[in-house]
Amino acid sequence: MTTEPVIQTKRRRKRQWAPYVLILPSLIYLAVFFALPMVRAVRLAIWDEHALLALREEPTSSSLAAGALPQGTAVKLLERQSVVATEVTESGGESLTEVWFHVQGTDPDGKMVMGWAAESRVRVRSTDEEGRPVGGTVRSKLGASADPLTSLYAEPSSASAIVGKLSSGTAVTIQEQAILEVWFLVAGQRDDKTVQGWAPSRALQIYGDEVSGRIDTGDTGQFTTAYIERMLNDRFFKPALGTTLLLTVIIIPAQFILAISMALVIQSRLKFNDLFLAIFAIPLAASDLAVGIVWYSIFTQNGFLNSLLQALGLLSIPQVFLSADTRHWIIIAIWLAEVWRATSLVMVIVVSGLQNIPQEVLEAAEIFGASLWQRIWRVILPLLKPSLQVALILRTILAFQVFAVVIALSGGEVVTVLANETYRQYYTLRNMNVASAYAGLILLLSMLSSIIYLRLVRSQEEVSL
Amino acid sequence: MTAADTPSPVVQVVDEMARVRQRARRRMLLGRTFTYFVAIVLVLWILIPIWLIASMAFTTPEVVRSYPKSVMPFIPFSFDTMRFFLQSRGIVPGLINSVIVAVITLVLSTLIAAPAGYALSRYVFRGREGFRLAILAVRAFPVVILSIPLAVTFINLGIFDQTYSLALMHTALTLPTTILVISSVFASVPYELEEAAQVFGCTPIQAFRRVVLPLVLPGIAASAIFTFVTSWNEVFAAAVLTVQNRTLPAQVLVSLQQSSEAYKFAGSFFMLLPSVIFIFAIRKYLFNMWGQVTK
C-alpha cells in the first residue's frame, strides 16, 4: 500500500489534535443531517405527538393538569370561558377566539364610563388607517327578558367585575382591543373513569349543539403503532414491498454478469481500451429519471420497440407494453432500465478489484492452459470476492431506493415500489407519519441486508483462514 | 525399425512444444476476436438507448408523435423539440435552481470534506478506523429517504422549499463519497514531497500550497464535478423538499403524467447530457471515486 510509509512518518511525531479539528466539520455535519434525521424518522413513525390532551384545573395552559384524555375521546362541554391568549397557537385545530374592545362612552346617567365589552356587543363604525377599530355604537339587545343595558367589565372577561353599563345605540370610542381564546370545561371517559378539566378550544372539535365535542388534538406524545399499522394495511403496501424485492432479486444478478463481462473486456487491454472504459462508465452519471424516460421511449405503444418489431414483420399492430394488463412488461422495462443505469457502478468496483489481482496470477493460469471459463470461475471470481461483496451491498441498498425509473415507466400506480409509496404518502396524502414509517422500513431493510452480507463475508473469511 | 521411423525424444518434445504454442496462439486469437465481439455488443448496449433518445430530442415534435418511429440520421434534424421543452413552464427556473443547488452542494461538500480527507490520508489518530467505517456506512445508506424527516424539520424552522435547504440535504448525500475520494487523492501525493519542500525552506503551509495543492487540485476538481452531477441528478429529495422552487428533475417528475412525449424525451436528453460530458471529463479519476471502497 502506498499509504504505509506516509503513516509511519507521521507516527513518529507526537500526538496531535490537528486530525480531530480537521474531521470535526464533517462529523458535525453528518450528525446534524444524517444521524438526527434518522432518529426523527423513527420518532415520526412510532410516536404520536398529539396522542394525549392534558386537561387543566384552570383555563390557562400554565395551570396544573387535572388529567389527560386521548385524542378522539367524546367529551361534554360543561362551561365556557374566554381568557387572554397568552401564547401564539401554531398548530392544532381551529382556535375559537373572541375579540373584546376597551371602550369609553356615556352611560344613561350621563356619567363617563370605561371598560371592556365583547366584540359582539359593539358595532364598529370607524377605523383608523391601519384598519383598527376606533369608534362604534353599542348594539341593541334582542329579547324582552334581556337586560337592555350592556355591561362593561374591568377585564376582558365576563367573569370580572362590572364597571359600568351602556344603553344600546350609545356612541363609544374604542381604545384597545384584546383577542381572547375560548376555553371549555370538558368531561370525558378514560378507562371507565370520568376526567374533567379545562381545555383550549383549539384542541377540541365542537359539535353543532355546542354542548358536546371530541378531543381533536393532544399536546403530549405517546408511543403508537397506528402509523405502522396504517402502512401495513395500505392497499399499495404489499405490491410495493413485493415489487421492490422482486426487482432487487432480478436486477442484481444481471448487473453482476454484465459488469464482470465489462470488467473482463477492460482487463484484456484491447485497442481503444480507454474509450471502452469511458463508454461503459457513461451511465454512472446518468440521471435515473432520464434513464427511465429513455426506456419509456422504447417501450411506449408508439415507441421504438414496436417500430422495430413491425419493421421486421413480427407484429401487425403495435402492442401495448406499459399498461395495467401487462405488468410483466413494465417490470421487464424497469429491469432493463435499472440494469442499463446501475451496472457501471459495479463495473468500476470490479475493474479496480481486478487491478488489485497480480497480473502474474492471471498469466500463470493462462500458461497452464486454463480455459476462459476455468479462469473466470477458478481464479478471477474467487480473487474478486471482496470487491463483489462490497458491490453487492451497495447495489442491494440502492435497489431498495429505486424510484424515478418506476415513475417514468409505470406512472407510479400500476407498478409501485417502497420509495414511491414513501413519496405518495408524503406528497399526495400529506401524511408525514406514514411516509416516515415507509422510510423507516427502507432503512431497516438496508440495515438488515448489509448486516447479513457483512456476517457472510466474515464467516467466509474465517473458514478460508 | 530404424532410428528415422521413431523421432528422437528431443524432436518429440520440440514438436509437442510447437503444437502447444500454436494451440495457445490460435486460442488467444480466438479469444481476442471473441473479446472484441463482446466489447462491441456491450458498447452498443450502452450507446443505442442514448442514440434513440438523442434522435427524439433533435427533431420536430411532429416527428416525435409519428409512428412507426425512425432514428437519426433518417429523420429531419431540428432544435424544435428541445426549444419546446426549454420554453415549457417551470423549466428555465428549474434549470437555474438545479444549478444553484448543485453549486452550493459542490462548494459546501468540498469545503467540509477536504480537511477530513486530508486528515484521513496524512494522520494516524485514535478513532481513524471508526471514522472511516462510519463514512463508508453512511455512503452505503439510503440517505435521500431521510428527506422525509428533514422536510418536517425544515417546515418547523421555516426554511422549507428553499434551494439552500435542498443543498444542505444534497451535501449530506455527497459528503461521504467526497471525503473518501479526497483522501485517496491526498494519499496519492507522497508525504516525502511535502517534507522535501520543508527541507528546502518552505514553511508547512507554504509546502502545502506550493507542492501539494497543485498536485491534488485536478483530483479535487474531479470529485467536485462528481458532486455536481450527483446533485444535478437527484430527484427524490428534490421532489420532497421543494414545492415552488423545483429543480429540473423534480419539475420534470411532477409534470410527467400531464406532459407530451416531446417534452419527456427532450427533458430526458437534456438531463443526460451534462452527465455524459462530465464522465468523459473525469474518467481518469473514476477509480478514485468508486474503486477504493474495496480497500
Side-chain angles (χ1 to χ4, degrees), chain A residues 22-144:
Chain A
L22 292 172
I23 65 170
L24 193 63
S26 39
L27 275 181
I28 293 173
Y29 199 91
L30 289 178
V32 173
F33 287 97
F34 181 76
L36 216 61
M38 203 140 83
V39 174
R40 272 201 77 107
V42 173
R43 196 188 147 94
L44 278 168
I46 61 168
W47 190 257
D48 182 356
E49 272 186 61
H50 305 295
L52 283 177
L53 177 69
L55 301 180
R56 305 292 172 178
E57 288 185 338
E58 304 282 327
T60 119
S61 50
S62 55
S63 85
L64 288 173
L69 285 175
Q71 197 176 17
T73 315
V75 291
K76 283 200 179 63
L77 309 179
L78 306 172
E79 214 179 300
R80 174 189 167 120
Q81 196 174 323
S82 314
V83 294
V84 179
T86 46
E87 63 204 77
V88 184
T89 60
E90 329 137 350
S91 60
E94 291 281 293
S95 180
L96 261 184
T97 54
E98 277 180 7
V99 177
W100 283 60
F101 294 132
H102 191 239
V103 298
Q104 189 174 24
T106 319
D107 73 353
D109 305 333
K111 215 166 64 193
M112 198 66 149
V113 288
M114 250 165 82
W116 289 91
E119 185 195 28
S120 58
R121 302 296 321 127
V122 180
R123 168 166 292 144
V124 175
R125 300 281 184 190
S126 56
T127 55
D128 65 7
E129 314 85 67
E130 287 164 38
R132 265 204 311 263
V134 289
T137 54
V138 176
R139 288 175 193 264
S140 56
K141 273 191 177 170
L142 299 175

Side-chain angles (χ1 to χ4, degrees), chain B residues 2 7 22 55 60 76 83 101 108 114 125 130 133 135 141 147 150 160 172 187 191 213 228 279 288 293:
Chain B
T2 59
Q22 204 180 356
S55 300
T60 61
R83 196 174 302 134
V101 171
L108 212 54
F125 54 97
L133 272 179
I135 298 288
F141 242 67
S147 47
L150 270 181
F160 182 70
Y191 183 64
L213 210 54
F228 185 97
I279 270 296
N288 276 351
V293 280

